[in-house]
Amino acid sequence: MGADGSPGRLGMAAAAFTSNARNPNLRQAQLSFLGAWTAEWAFTVALGIVAYRDGGAVALGLVGLLRMVPAALLAPLLSPIADRGRRERVLVLVSLVRGAATGGAALVAALGGSAFVIYVLAVLSTIAATLYRPAHSALLPSLCHTGFELASANVVRGLLDSAATLVGPLLAAVLLQFTGVDVVFAVAAAASFVAAALLAGLRYEAPPRPSAPSRPNLVREGVEGLRAVRGSRDLTLILGLAAAQSFTRGALTVLSVVVAIELLGTGEPGVGALMTAVGVGAVLGSLAASLLVGTGRLGAWFALGVALWGAPLALVGAVPQESVALVLLAFVGVGNALIDVAGFTLIGRLAPDEVLARVFGVLESIVAVSIGVGALAASLIGEWLGIRTALIVVGLLCPVLAAASWRRLRVLDRSVGALDSDVERLRKVPMFATLPLPSVEQLVRGLERVTTRGDDVVFRQGDVGEHYFFIESGEVDVVGDGRVVATLGPGEGFGEIALLRSTRRTATVVARSEVNLRSLTADRFLCAVLGYQPSAKEATVAVDSMLERYEPKDPL
């Protein structure tokens, strides 16, 4: 326990994992992600071997670029689909497509078919994979109720992502030692099908979302995601740093192969060993990241994660020894874990839920382009200047940008802390306690400050109801038919009866002293409360209870 009686770091870390284990929907969603990303990493290793055999380092870089460009172009256009209806259905379809494409690559490789056909199937699989993470990232907030629970979900997903980073390449390395790339492709396909089966079993009540328009325009809807990013300085910064990290990630897919085979002389199995080192660091980093839940410094940890993606590469270029390279690449994995926890949590808190999948789609598009450009750039720099120079040049990009962004990210941390405080206050109202996190945050963003002095009338009996009020500090008397029927204090709200029953105010509310209120317009209040069945039930119970204690003599 902390000095104030609050849970210590270890207690909060344990709570981060148990909150996911107790929630069956979160548990299944997370295991699905593990299957999907294990398949992705194993597939990437095997595809890199195919490309290197086909045309060396340049072919490897070109395949990386060609694989990512179609995915980058389609991600913002397809992501609006996940903002309609139930997002897990999109994930099931995506996983089935990935499984089919990867299984086709296994068949072609087993029959000794053309590498070009494998590249085409790889592009198809990557397009589907590009849509998976936006939909999954947008699904998680709907399964959570607090910022802590969402951060915990991203900690667990980061750990599973790290485990996939370890298990995928390690599995590929073992299979390549005893079999061939066709078997690696087949195992990746099986993992994708398991991911689809897990998602098909989700059972939860989704918040209301817009239905598909009669004439869908995916281009126009995709642009709304770009506008949401452009309209937020903080989102723009996070996505910009993610682009730098992804550029480095793309470079690593090329550099790991060339470093293992040409610089370190460890051969093809050495490629898997280097990427396994990244996975080991990512797992350890994810476990350490669980200690950061609730620290309120996600922006700072995000900056550190970005820096750790580049600095180790530069050091490998300076000290090209196998043991040193394995240790340094483990720190890349630590950086990846920090980015997963901090970056995805911050985006989930900053972007509106109605366009959240589209914002993540923009992110995936940026990531895909940056990975492709990074892969090509690394191969060209390596050809022109040598592999060691390429490692140093690529490795310095992320640390420099992270240092330049440090001050703005710390400001972002403070604003997210204020958002958490308002969410916690609203959670004290029973009808808001059952809402998923995106709905509560939407209410918080619509809150307006109202300050009254002693004996001020907030509204009178018989007035038209236009707002719901929440008390931050001070007390108010509820006066009905000339007598005080209730006194309300901090953490309580009033004004819901007129809004929920479409009637006039049933009582007068008077401030007893100076009172700080936060108000919500009727539209915002009703959209959130009535749009989600559990909160609508709580609101009905609350209103019935209040009317049992007092109901105006004259009908309004």
Side-chain angles (χ1 to χ4, degrees), residues 45-46 48-49 52-53 60 165-166 169-170 172-178 252-279 316 321-327 329-330:
V45 171
I49 297 299
Y52 188 81
R53 290 174 180 174
L60 186 61
T165 306
L166 169 63
L170 180 60
V174 172
L175 292 174
L176 287 170
Q177 190 75 36
F178 298 102
L252 182 59
T253 62
V254 173
L255 296 175
S256 61
V257 176
V258 181
V259 167
I261 295 175
E262 297 183 7
L263 190 61
L264 301 179
T266 54
E268 291 182 357
V271 179
L274 289 178
M275 297 309 293
T276 298
V278 176
V316 170
Q321 298 178 10
E322 182 180 6
S323 58
V324 174
L326 291 173
V327 172
L329 287 182

Side-chain angles (χ1 to χ4, degrees), residues 45-55 60 109 115-116 118-119 181 185:
V45 171
L47 182 65
I49 297 299
V50 171
Y52 188 81
R53 290 174 180 174
D54 192 35
L60 186 61
F116 177 78
I118 294 178
Y119 300 155
V181 294
F185 287 148

Side-chain angles (χ1 to χ4, degrees), residues 23-35 91 132 136 139-140 143 157 160 195 198-199 202:
N23 185 329
N25 290 312
L26 268 179
R27 185 171 63 245
Q28 288 178 236
Q30 301 286 37
L31 290 175
S32 170
F33 183 87
L34 174 62
L91 290 168
Y132 185 96
H136 193 274
L139 172 66
L140 289 184
L143 304 179
R157 193 178 74 167
L160 296 178
L198 288 167
L199 289 164
L202 291 188

Side-chain angles (χ1 to χ4, degrees), residues 164-418:
T165 306
L166 169 63
V167 173
L170 180 60
L171 181 61
V174 172
L175 292 174
L176 287 170
Q177 190 75 36
F178 298 102
T179 59
V181 294
D182 56 332
V183 176
V184 179
F185 287 148
V187 171
S192 292
F193 289 132
V194 170
L198 288 167
L199 289 164
L202 291 188
R203 297 291 182 268
Y204 74 103
E205 186 170 357
R209 295 193 183 94
S211 59
S214 56
R215 294 183 177 180
N217 189 325
L218 293 178
V219 174
R220 183 175 65 247
E221 294 180 54
V223 169
E224 291 176 4
L226 290 170
R227 288 174 179 166
V229 173
R230 187 179 60 184
S232 170
R233 180 181 174 185
D234 293 327
L235 280 175
T236 301
L237 175 61
I238 292 172
L239 266 63
L241 291 174
Q245 177 264 336
S246 301
F247 176 91
T248 307
R249 174 183 165 187
L252 182 59
T253 62
V254 173
L255 296 175
S256 61
V257 176
V258 181
V259 167
I261 295 175
E262 297 183 7
L263 190 61
L264 301 179
T266 54
E268 291 182 357
V271 179
L274 289 178
M275 297 309 293
T276 298
V278 176
V280 169
V283 171
L284 296 176
S286 295
L287 292 172
S290 66
L291 301 173
L292 309 179
V293 178
T295 64
R297 298 178 180 175
L298 292 176
W301 294 116
F302 181 69
L304 178 60
V306 171
L308 285 177
W309 252 97
L313 296 186
L315 293 174
V316 170
V319 187
Q321 298 178 10
E322 182 180 6
S323 58
V324 174
L326 291 173
V327 172
L328 289 172
L329 287 182
F331 281 98
V332 172
V334 173
N336 192 69
L338 293 175
I339 288 174
D340 278 347
V341 173
F344 283 98
T345 301
L346 288 171
I347 294 173
R349 305 297 302 278
L350 294 172
D353 181 67
E354 60 269 19
V355 294
L356 186 55
R358 276 167 275 187
V359 170
F360 280 118
V362 173
L363 172 64
E364 288 302 311
S365 180
I366 292 172
V367 167
V369 170
S370 301
I371 288 175
V373 172
L376 182 60
S379 63
L380 293 177
I381 295 173
E383 287 288 324
W384 294 337
L385 303 178
I387 184 62
R388 295 182 64 178
T389 302
L391 286 166
I392 294 172
V393 170
V394 171
L396 289 177
L397 175 65
C398 280
V400 170
L401 292 179
S405 306
W406 176 261
R407 181 174 295 180
R408 180 61 197 174
L409 288 170
R410 295 300 291 131
V411 172
L412 173 59
D413 282 339
R414 290 191 286 272
S415 67
V416 172

